[in-house]
Amino acid sequence: MRIVVTGRDGQVAASLLEAGQSRADVEVIAIGRPEFDLARPDTVFDAISAAKPDVVVSAAAYTAVDQAEDEPDLAFAVNATGAGKVAEAAARLGVPVIHLSTDYVFDGTKPEPYVETDATAPLGAYGASKLAGEQAVAAANPRHLILRTAWVYSPFGRNFVKTMLRLAADRDEVSVVADQWGNPTSALDIADAILHAAAMLHRNKDIAVFGTYHLAGTGETNWSGFARHILDTSLAFGGPWARVRDIATMDYPTKARRPANSRLSSAKFASTFGWTAPHWRQSTEAVVKYLAGGGAEGAV
């Protein structure tokens, strides 16, 4: 099975490439700029077609949440129009598309974890552009999986885990928001889930599982609890550590509003595909250990 993933430098693409290296039955090919550029729709079909996919993973995205408030047109061009073009290319090639979306399609006011049928209500341009992308993907290719995830981290790229380790190397205390809740999700686990689902789609071409799913880490915490576990794990591996001071969202103003509740129920994905993410604590420990060992650019 050949999986073509868009967004060569992204966390999910890097995690898929790593996972594919240990699988004899899977070939993962990542495509990105300049030959593939979501802001240049004319490049999309040719780049995907040339890679000859059995399954397309649409992971490339505009992810600068605050910056999107200043350049919504670019966010929509990439996350909506571009995502639709990827799904359309997959449809023209007769293959399914697995598209990554986000908890930011919700406003965070629900007191329980969100399920797939809950009403969407993005708080900002980024979330609105990702929601428009979901709609464009669904319209362009009936053989689609839309996977909403949240609080993604990995040994690759920029993310909260690596930020905490970097800050702890320079200071004794870090201030972290304590009133936003979610499911920390390792991109390594997302990659494993995608490979699992893609194999089912590839083996059963008419399987009736297409649609929207939530895919997030098991268990929940707030950002400060996440930070404490990252840094305590780092200390156990001989890495940097700092005290974590709880602060409120109002004490850390950002241009774009964040959902107070980003918790996603992944029960539908687990039931359909027979795959459940490890507990977020376990997956966090695996990523911190990976970084402590000098993997993924040795970035701690």
Side-chain angles (χ1 to χ4, degrees):
M1 177 177 60
R2 178 176 288 185
I3 294 178
V4 173
V5 57
T6 66
R8 187 181 292 129
D9 300 323
Q11 294 190 76
V12 171
S15 297
L16 274 170
L17 285 168
E18 174 138 315
Q21 291 175 1
S22 61
R23 298 273 298 266
D25 59 335
V26 174
E27 180 182 12
V28 179
I29 299 171
I31 58 176
R33 291 179 290 194
E35 65 271 17
F36 170 88
D37 188 344
L38 287 179
R40 295 167 53 219
D42 57 299
T43 67
V44 172
F45 180 78
D46 288 346
I48 293 176
S49 177
K52 303 185 184 311
D54 294 309
V55 178
V56 173
V57 177
S58 175
Y62 178 107
T63 58
V65 175
D66 292 315
Q67 196 171 328
E69 297 300 307
D70 294 325
E71 44 188 28
D73 290 347
L74 179 57
F76 272 83
V78 172
N79 291 344
T81 305
K85 288 294 182 183
V86 171
E88 178 186 308
R92 287 174 62 185
L93 295 168
V95 301
V97 62
I98 300 175
H99 176 71
L100 274 294
S101 191
T102 175
D103 57 298
Y104 278 65
V105 301
F106 298 115
D107 62 11
T109 58
K110 183 182 177 181
E112 299 89 21
Y114 281 93
V115 296
E116 291 81 355
T117 53
D118 283 328
T120 52
L123 295 175
Y126 168 72
S129 71
K130 291 296 289 181
L131 179 59
E134 292 185 7
Q135 295 162 348
V137 167
N141 190 341
R143 297 178 67 203
H144 66 267
L145 291 186
I146 293 168
L147 303 180
R148 293 175 180 150
T149 190
W151 292 25
V152 178
Y153 64 93
S154 72
F156 313 104
R158 297 180 180 179
N159 56 72
F160 186 76
V161 169
K162 291 172 74 173
T163 296
M164 288 299 104
L165 295 174
R166 175 176 53 82
L167 292 176
D170 295 331
R171 59 186 72 175
D172 297 327
E173 181 179 270
V174 292
S175 298
V176 184
V177 168
D179 56 359
Q180 295 175 22
W181 291 79
N183 316 101
T185 309
S186 169
L188 299 175
D189 294 336
I190 295 172
D192 187 56
I194 287 174
L195 291 178
H196 184 84
M200 288 182 62
L201 301 183
H202 186 54
R203 287 194 307 266
N204 305 283
K205 303 204 181 286
D206 297 322
I207 194 167
V209 298
F210 298 105
T212 299
Y213 294 83
H214 292 170
L215 177 63
T218 298
E220 63 186 54
T221 188
N222 56 20
W223 284 113
S224 63
F226 188 18
R228 284 189 177 88
H229 188 61
I230 292 164
L231 296 176
D232 288 347
T233 302
S234 172
L235 181 64
F237 287 118
W241 180 87
R243 293 183 303 276
V244 176
R245 182 171 69 90
D246 290 0
I247 61 171
T249 296
M250 63 183 299
D251 298 323
Y252 187 74
T254 55
K255 184 163 290 188
R257 293 170 60 199
R258 268 69 171 171
N261 174 27
S262 284
R263 293 174 298 157
L264 302 176
S265 168
S266 301
K268 179 184 173 184
F269 188 89
S271 174
T272 302
F273 293 101
W275 188 97
T276 301
H279 194 279
W280 69 267
R281 287 178 173 272
Q282 177 184 339
S283 294
T284 300
E285 288 160 13
V287 168
V288 174
K289 182 178 180 180
Y290 186 114
L291 291 168
E297 306 148 11
V300 226

